[in-house]
Amino acid sequence: MNEQTLTTAKKRQRIPSGNTMYEALRRAIIERALRPGDKLPEDVIGDRFGVSRTIVRSVLGRLHGEGLIDLKPNRGATVAQPTLEEAYDIFETRRSLERDVVRRLVEKITPAEIKKLKDHVAREETARTQDSPDSIRLAGEFHILLAEMAGNAVTARYVNELVSRCSLILALYGRPHSSDCAVNEHLEIVAALQKGDSEKAFAVMDHHLEAVTERALLTSSNHQRDIRSILDDYVK
């Protein structure tokens, strides 16, 4: 292989795939680096990730299908801005699905899975003490992990989507609060599951999701932000 061919091959290796860009943009939205209403120009995104507009449009379409961004003709893409009515509908649906997750888990959860959940909560605690944006993502991933353990792939897929949309909603309406709330509540959920106490597990999960819902307070802003610099942290 000559030097020119080798250089070309290395460049190709550095170009992220559509899936890599999807994961990066999704993470930026969930961690609230990209906030509701932020514009997502195709040229800026393509430039930052080194991909074509065709790939950018495909990824934006995927995120649109998950309810994380809005696509409007002649206006481009923006991070989605759910209404309060939509927000409460989403949380209500999520509560129903996660009750089913708890019902399934309390009957079948294993010691290895309990350990995995405790390890995850420990990572949440570490991120919280470091004031890291990872704490937001990890809090949501705790619920996704529960759904995956429950063993119903359809439920897990919907919980994954709803958790992502809830993070977006909290970025738009979330009232400032101590991030240790989620960590403590997650520990209570794990303890109830470990004891096999279905009544307690239901009660704790309901209280946890109701508490998240009640933290809603309109704090949105129309201030235009620099998407190029935000994406710098998400380009690998």
Side-chain angles (χ1 to χ4, degrees):
M1 181 180 294
N2 60 40
E3 185 175 348
Q4 183 177 358
T5 303
L6 182 60
T7 300
T8 301
K10 288 182 177 179
K11 286 182 177 179
R12 286 175 179 170
Q13 290 175 356
R14 290 198 298 268
I15 296 176
S17 66
N19 192 60
T20 299
M21 189 177 73
Y22 159 79
E23 293 290 349
L25 288 176
R26 182 176 178 274
R27 180 172 175 177
I29 292 171
I30 291 173
E31 293 181 355
R32 306 177 198 175
L34 292 173
R35 300 182 64 83
D38 280 346
K39 293 182 179 180
L40 302 172
E42 292 179 2
D43 57 341
V44 172
I45 295 173
D47 177 65
R48 300 317 293 157
F49 288 94
V51 299
S52 68
R53 285 201 175 192
T54 299
I55 294 178
V56 173
R57 288 169 187 161
S58 175
V59 169
L60 293 178
R62 185 176 175 185
L63 292 168
H64 173 65
E66 296 178 4
L68 293 179
I69 70 169
D70 292 329
L71 289 174
K72 296 182 180 179
N74 303 318
R75 296 181 61 183
T78 59
V79 179
Q81 293 180 286
T83 66
L84 273 175
E85 182 178 1
E86 290 171 335
Y88 283 106
D89 286 346
I90 288 169
F91 273 109
E92 182 179 357
T93 303
R94 178 178 168 183
R95 284 198 297 271
S96 296
L97 284 176
E98 295 214 48
R99 282 184 64 85
D100 183 63
V101 167
V102 168
R103 178 185 64 78
R104 291 172 179 272
L105 275 180
V106 84
E107 297 173 351
K108 65 181 286 293
I109 197 163
T110 66
E113 289 172 331
I114 289 293
K115 182 181 184 305
K116 189 173 182 178
L117 289 171
K118 288 181 177 180
D119 289 344
H120 185 93
V121 175
R123 290 171 60 204
E124 290 185 61
E125 175 64 19
T126 298
R128 182 192 69 82
T129 57
Q130 295 175 350
D131 196 24
S132 167
D134 286 346
S135 63
I136 300 169
R137 175 176 52 82
L138 289 169
E141 288 179 354
F142 172 82
H143 292 267
I144 295 170
L145 183 58
L146 289 175
E148 290 172 346
M149 288 178 176
N152 185 313
V154 175
T155 297
R157 186 176 79 245
Y158 284 124
V159 168
N160 190 337
E161 180 177 327
L162 289 171
V163 166
S164 298
R165 296 185 73 181
C166 286
S167 180
L168 180 66
I169 289 163
L170 287 170
L172 181 59
Y173 298 109
R175 184 173 67 234
H177 64 281
S178 174
S179 59
D180 63 356
C181 295
V183 176
N184 291 336
E185 291 160 4
H186 288 175
L187 283 172
E188 290 181 20
I189 292 169
V190 175
L193 290 173
Q194 186 171 16
K195 293 177 181 177
D197 187 340
S198 58
E199 184 175 341
K200 178 68 173 178
F202 283 136
V204 173
M205 180 63 83
D206 282 345
H207 173 76
H208 173 53
L209 293 179
E210 285 171 6
V212 173
T213 305
E214 289 171 0
R215 290 173 193 142
L217 179 67
L218 185 62
T219 58
S220 61
S221 169
N222 292 323
H223 177 64
Q224 187 64 39
R225 305 189 311 134
D226 183 3
I227 302 304
R228 185 182 297 272
S229 61
I230 291 171
L231 291 178
D232 282 344
D233 292 334
Y234 291 86
V235 177
K236 302 298 184 182

